[in-house]
Amino acid sequence: MINQEYKDMLSGKSVIRELSEYATARGKEIGYENVFDFSLGNPSVPAPKEFTDEMVHLLLEKDPMEIHGYTPSLGNPVYKKKIAESLNRRFGMNYGPEHIFPTTGAAGAIAHALRAVTRPSDEVMIFAPYFSEYIPYIKQTGVDIKIVPADTEAFQINFEAFESMITDKTAAVLINTPNNPSGVAYTTQTLERLGKVLAERSEAYGHNIFLISDEPYREIVFDNADAPYVSKFYKHTLSCYSFSKALSLPGERIGYVAVNPECEDAEYIVPMCGQISRGIGHNCPPSIIQQAVAEVCDLTSDLSVYETNMNIIYDTLMELGFTCVRPGGTFYIFPKALEESSIEFCNKAKKYDLIFVPGDGFGAPGFFRMAYCIDTDKVKRAMDRLREFVANEYL
Amino acid sequence: MINQEYKDMLSGKSVIRELSEYATARGKEIGYENVFDFSLGNPSVPAPKEFTDEMVHLLLEKDPMEIHGYTPSLGNPVYKKKIAESLNRRFGMNYGPEHIFPTTGAAGAIAHALRAVTRPSDEVMIFAPYFSEYIPYIKQTGVDIKIVPADTEAFQINFEAFESMITDKTAAVLINTPNNPSGVAYTTQTLERLGKVLAERSEAYGHNIFLISDEPYREIVFDNADAPYVSKFYKHTLSCYSFSKALSLPGERIGYVAVNPECEDAEYIVPMCGQISRGIGHNCPPSIIQQAVAEVCDLTSDLSVYETNMNIIYDTLMELGFTCVRPGGTFYIFPKALEESSIEFCNKAKKYDLIFVPGDGFGAPGFFRMAYCIDTDKVKRAMDRLREFVANEYL
């Protein structure tokens, strides 16, 4: 018999996917250039040429047995070393290769990190607004989820709620900064306070609470952002990274878990990830991709378009009287809808071929997400359409 | 706190890995050409040139956004279609693209297949000798494992034991043919009988028992082997495949689950795998590898060396009086040791720089595994050493 639990999940359709499918279908009717699709967070700039050159170099110049052979179960040693060196140089950390576990993107990193520091009866806390996939990611490890309501003023952390909700069952806290969907980066002040609360509660409860930091947007940070490196603020931190966004390689499934060398049992966590991999069927990210990314891990795609787009959208939103926290990074912005129900708001926007995602699925009803990883020219045209939508429906 | 269960796994060292590390260390002492390392099942022939050409073509000629972008959550449509067509053409099946779920190798395929058709209180049965990784693969899904003792005469299925052990808690049976470690392919007769037993018991228990068929060695079959396509013999079959061995791409993590179109709830299983992926952090195998393998999925590396090596080893074993089932495929052979304890036997062999793996970890004590994915010249030299070892220790 098939597993009913997974079958039941099929009826819970993804709102983002439905909107994206709607946009595609609508594009076929009226031309895709006329649909202003802000639904999907897919990078809109190519991978750097250096990555392509490195891939071709490996394929043409190196021994295929070495390029395509099994990597050691804890990952390609060169990849691990280069990542550690890059993080140390950029963030003043002290990682060795033994603290880096290569994973299939951030999803793979979170799958390992969660299993390494939780047991079935534990609780994991997340903060709204959160990446909607966190719910199945966490649920399927068998632990309970506690959702801390949003700080809707600044999209930092609602510490009052957090401190009242954390208990001795809390094994780990999962954060995402810069954040999908809000676009906001947690400030130094926020991270200092988070570290302080976690340290105090760890002591009070007699076990260390782990911080799992999901940071695939770490390199997409805008001029004025204070986007500090999370692991500097709390030693029991596992940093989960993906090159999907910064190198525009989402399909190639390449990332890592970086274990703070000062955290509890730091020396066991990467080897434990190797054990976790066996049960969930990973066995490392693709070999050739590890080898190529090792050589370009300090580079990024040309990410400037995201800031350009953000400024155009933010200025227009301000002009139109929206309430909105200015993003410090990512390619998302998360304004307040112009009516109570953001689902209604997004439905009305669809009539103007503006495709926005209601905040409900991110744990923040009343807001909506725009993913602006699209051409700047299209963003500009979309702003005219947004003006028309607001004027017709809300003025 | 870290998860003690995974930490405890660290003390259970892999015998194969220890032997392989010993061989490497010994190679540094006396020259690797003088260590006859039969421990690891790593392909010893390069990927076909057509694969490399296709990779370079994609990198140089195609849009990087398309090559490296997210694949749809149920996999690249071209890959799915080509796999289905290839299986239909070669094995007279009737798969559509909707029955193919791309995975990160066979490990990823088994991780999805197991979760799709079992629930936590269920039992999964495996047959000795079995690939030792099956134990953590299965255990970590939360179900119980029942191990059917080996048919040590022919390494087919010990039906007497199987039929006495199967119960109404049996949700799935996991087989591996051609088999690691025995090298034996299940015959038509074996698979017919297996299908019959499963059908009868499914009816008796009122639920369909699923057959999970792990077949990464399917294309490494020797002249005289009867190596039929498992899914033809029982409709509730999920076939798990990897291109690791046939295309020599073990590090690139590319394979699939093929769902028999006639099995119970066939239309749900691939979408359910998409849901399972969320919790275990997969999100599809690497995009560029899916696209390249789609174009070469009917090819294989030049696999002839494995049969050449098998014949040399088998003939020598016969000459020396070993008891051994002649392999029908793979790059393994699994002779009976010349003393009761195969651990002792393998320890003595080490003194002659012959690195064999005791059968105990494969659920068949008294036998030992040789992985002959090495140069034929070295195999020949190893046979002289084997003659010396046997003459000195056992004659």
Side-chain angles (χ1 to χ4, degrees), chain A residues 16 19 44 64 96 110 137 162 195 208 217 264 285 296 349 394:
Chain A
I16 298 177
L19 283 166
S44 62
I110 294 171
Y137 285 4
F162 174 47
N208 288 311
Y217 301 98
E264 182 189 2
V296 301
Y394 297 100

Side-chain angles (χ1 to χ4, degrees), chain A residues 149-162:
Chain A
D151 156 22
T152 53
E153 296 304 307
F155 294 129
Q156 297 291 320
I157 286 174
N158 180 341
F159 278 101
E160 198 182 347
F162 174 47

Side-chain angles (χ1 to χ4, degrees), chain A residues 192-394:
Chain A
E192 276 173 352
R193 188 164 170 194
L194 176 62
K196 194 164 162 284
V197 173
L198 290 174
E200 284 166 5
R201 296 302 179 107
S202 292
E203 185 159 350
Y205 302 143
H207 70 259
N208 288 311
I209 299 166
F210 272 85
L211 180 60
I212 301 175
S213 173
D214 178 26
E215 40 201 65
Y217 301 98
R218 195 176 60 210
E219 274 66 39
I220 312 182
V221 173
F222 306 146
D223 276 345
N224 52 348
D226 169 17
Y229 188 69
V230 172
S231 198
K232 306 273 298 177
F233 295 84
Y234 183 64
K235 64 181 180 179
H236 307 295
T237 296
L238 309 183
S239 305
C240 297
Y241 188 73
S242 166
F243 289 98
S244 294
K245 319 298 177 182
L247 287 178
S248 295
L249 297 174
E252 307 307 358
R253 315 308 306 136
I254 181 79
Y256 57 82
V257 177
V259 177
N260 187 313
E262 304 297 316
C263 86
E264 182 189 2
D265 290 322
E267 71 272 33
Y268 297 120
I269 295 179
V270 165
M272 281 168 61
C273 285
Q275 298 298 326
I276 292 165
S277 281
R278 299 164 85 182
I280 59 180
H282 273 252
N283 295 336
C284 286
S287 172
I288 189 171
I289 308 287
Q290 284 188 71
Q291 291 171 72
V293 168
E295 300 306 316
V296 301
C297 68
D298 276 332
L299 304 179
T300 67
S301 299
D302 178 1
L303 304 170
S304 61
V305 62
Y306 303 133
E307 183 159 10
T308 304
N309 291 352
M310 186 276 289
N311 280 316
I312 293 167
I313 295 169
Y314 183 77
D315 290 348
T316 308
L317 290 167
M318 290 299 103
E319 166 204 321
L320 292 171
F322 280 85
T323 300
C324 182
V325 182
R326 185 184 177 90
T330 77
F331 35 60
Y332 305 108
I333 192 166
F334 201 57
K336 200 165 192 312
L338 294 179
E339 60 182 291
E340 200 181 331
S341 161
S342 46
I343 295 172
E344 276 308 302
F345 176 86
C346 293
N347 274 338
K348 284 181 190 158
K350 262 164 89 174
K351 290 192 288 182
Y352 296 80
D353 295 311
L354 292 164
I355 315 299
F356 304 148
V357 182
D360 303 60
F362 306 107
F367 294 83
F368 66 98
R369 188 187 81 170
M370 296 171 67
Y372 45 83
C373 32
I374 53 182
D375 283 352
T376 299
D377 179 60
K378 200 170 185 182
V379 169
K380 287 180 181 163
R381 290 193 293 120
M383 293 303 98
D384 290 338
R385 189 65 61 89
L386 180 64
R387 286 186 188 94
E388 186 190 334
F389 162 52
V390 171
N392 286 354
E393 303 285 339
Y394 297 100

Side-chain angles (χ1 to χ4, degrees), chain B residues 278-325:
Chain B
R278 299 164 85 182
I280 59 179
H282 273 252
N283 295 336
C284 285
S287 172
I288 188 171
I289 309 286
Q290 285 188 68
Q291 291 171 71
V293 169
E295 300 307 316
V296 301
C297 69
D298 275 333
L299 302 180
T300 68
S301 299
D302 177 0
L303 304 169
S304 59
V305 63
Y306 303 132
E307 183 160 8
T308 304
N309 291 352
M310 186 277 287
N311 279 317
I312 293 168
I313 295 170
Y314 182 77
D315 290 348
T316 308
L317 290 167
M318 290 299 103
E319 165 204 322
L320 292 171
F322 280 85
T323 300
C324 182
V325 183

